[in-house]
Amino acid sequence: LILAGTQDGRELAAELTALGYQVCISVTTEYGRSLAAPAAELVNAVPLNATALRAFIAKHQIKLLIDASHPYARGASENALQVTAALNLPYIRYERQSSQFPAYEKLHVVDTIQAACQVANNIPGTVFLTTGSRALAEFKANLASDKRVIARILPDAKVLAEVLALGFSPKDIIAMQGPFSEAMNSTMFADFATQIMIMKESGKIGGSDEKFLAAQRLNLDIIIIKRPKLEYRVLVHDFTELLKKIKEVL
């Protein structure tokens, strides 16, 4: 079973399937299901809390769980660690490498969304959020009410409805699927007169490098929210390393 919240997980599933492994993928949306369908025999699109994950493992006779969820999906990883430990089931965390950003005098690195908002509230100008939709309520609650905030989200009707319900104006919403090139990021940041760009450290495959370079060239303040820290039992960063670990436990 691969918990696949990103492109990484889908690519892993396709490679393992090609090697003859029986693979199923768990995602959280129907759109995710459509992306993952070619890569595995079975794709689950029902969110799995600890109880549901335990039942899914039993039903499908899972022999190994590969946690390739998004680097910021802390709850998914915590559930996977808890359930696999209780069941004595092999667990491997696959996580993309962090990006290495150049020195930049207007870079602010923080641990939490609240800290990111505190920094942004002390800098004049428009905030451009490239962090997705899941934490927008927290940003809305902590950013100054008089500060313009641009939200870039997936072009999904449910997500758009949720963002509008939070009080975002249509003129402050960009509904497009990334990752985006440096040129596209530059155009968006400039067109919205951005002064502060907030991002997660999602790694190269998540478009972090392109966001950073675009903002740096425009001399914007950049706020990066660091990845949550968890104690993974087994952690790998590339497919060769992952395959070696799989062969050790299967």
Side-chain angles (χ1 to χ4, degrees):
L1 169 62
I2 299 179
L3 305 184
T6 64
Q7 180 181 335
D8 296 328
R10 299 192 298 272
E11 291 177 352
L12 290 177
E15 294 201 52
L16 291 173
T17 297
L19 288 173
Y21 289 96
Q22 290 182 295
V23 179
C24 56
I25 301 177
S26 183
V27 297
T28 58
T29 65
E30 286 300 321
Y31 179 60
R33 184 205 294 273
S34 69
L35 293 175
E41 296 180 15
L42 172 67
V43 181
N44 168 69
V46 178
L48 298 176
N49 59 21
T51 302
L53 178 59
R54 184 187 283 261
F56 187 92
I57 287 169
K59 178 180 179 180
H60 297 285
Q61 299 181 311
I62 301 300
K63 300 295 187 291
L64 166 67
L65 187 147
I66 299 174
D67 178 5
S69 58
H70 192 278
Y72 289 81
R74 181 176 187 132
S77 290
E78 288 176 336
N79 280 339
L81 284 164
Q82 173 194 331
V83 170
T84 53
L87 297 175
N88 198 28
L89 182 75
Y91 167 98
I92 302 172
R93 169 64 174 171
Y94 177 90
E95 186 169 288
R96 61 184 75 160
Q97 289 281 11
S98 298
S99 294
Q100 299 299 313
F101 298 110
Y104 177 50
E105 63 180 7
K106 299 178 77 172
L107 172 62
H108 316 268
V109 180
V110 299
D111 291 315
T112 65
I113 290 172
Q114 292 92 330
C117 293
Q118 289 174 358
V119 173
N121 286 338
N122 289 317
I123 302 170
T126 297
V127 175
F128 194 112
L129 299 176
T130 68
T131 53
S133 62
R134 291 184 183 273
L136 287 181
E138 195 171 357
F139 279 110
K140 194 72 171 174
N142 288 279
L143 286 169
S145 59
D146 60 347
K147 185 176 285 292
R148 187 183 186 193
V149 181
I150 309 302
R152 190 163 71 186
I153 63 171
L154 278 174
D156 178 275
K158 181 181 177 183
V159 172
L160 180 57
E162 291 171 351
V163 175
L164 289 169
L166 287 172
F168 283 86
S169 168
K171 66 182 175 61
D172 295 332
I173 300 171
I174 301 171
M176 295 177 67
Q177 182 179 350
F180 302 98
S181 67
E182 181 185 339
M184 178 66 86
N185 278 308
S186 294
T187 297
M188 291 185 189
F189 297 160
D191 282 356
F192 284 87
T194 303
Q195 279 81 42
I196 308 149
M197 188 272 289
I198 301 181
M199 61 183 282
K200 295 176 178 176
E201 203 296 272
S202 298
K204 187 172 181 60
I205 199 169
S208 291
D209 294 5
E210 289 78 9
K211 295 175 190 177
F212 185 95
L213 291 173
Q216 184 182 35
R217 291 187 194 284
L218 293 171
N219 198 36
L220 307 183
D221 279 272
I222 301 173
I223 303 174
I224 297 179
I225 304 170
K226 292 191 291 187
R227 295 180 181 183
K229 294 191 181 299
L230 290 174
E231 292 297 323
Y232 300 110
R233 292 196 296 278
V234 181
L235 173 64
V236 300
H237 295 293
D238 61 56
F239 185 73
T240 300
E241 195 179 2
L242 174 67
L243 194 57
K244 179 181 177 183
K245 293 294 183 183
I246 291 174
K247 289 178 179 179
E248 289 175 3
V249 298
L250 290 183

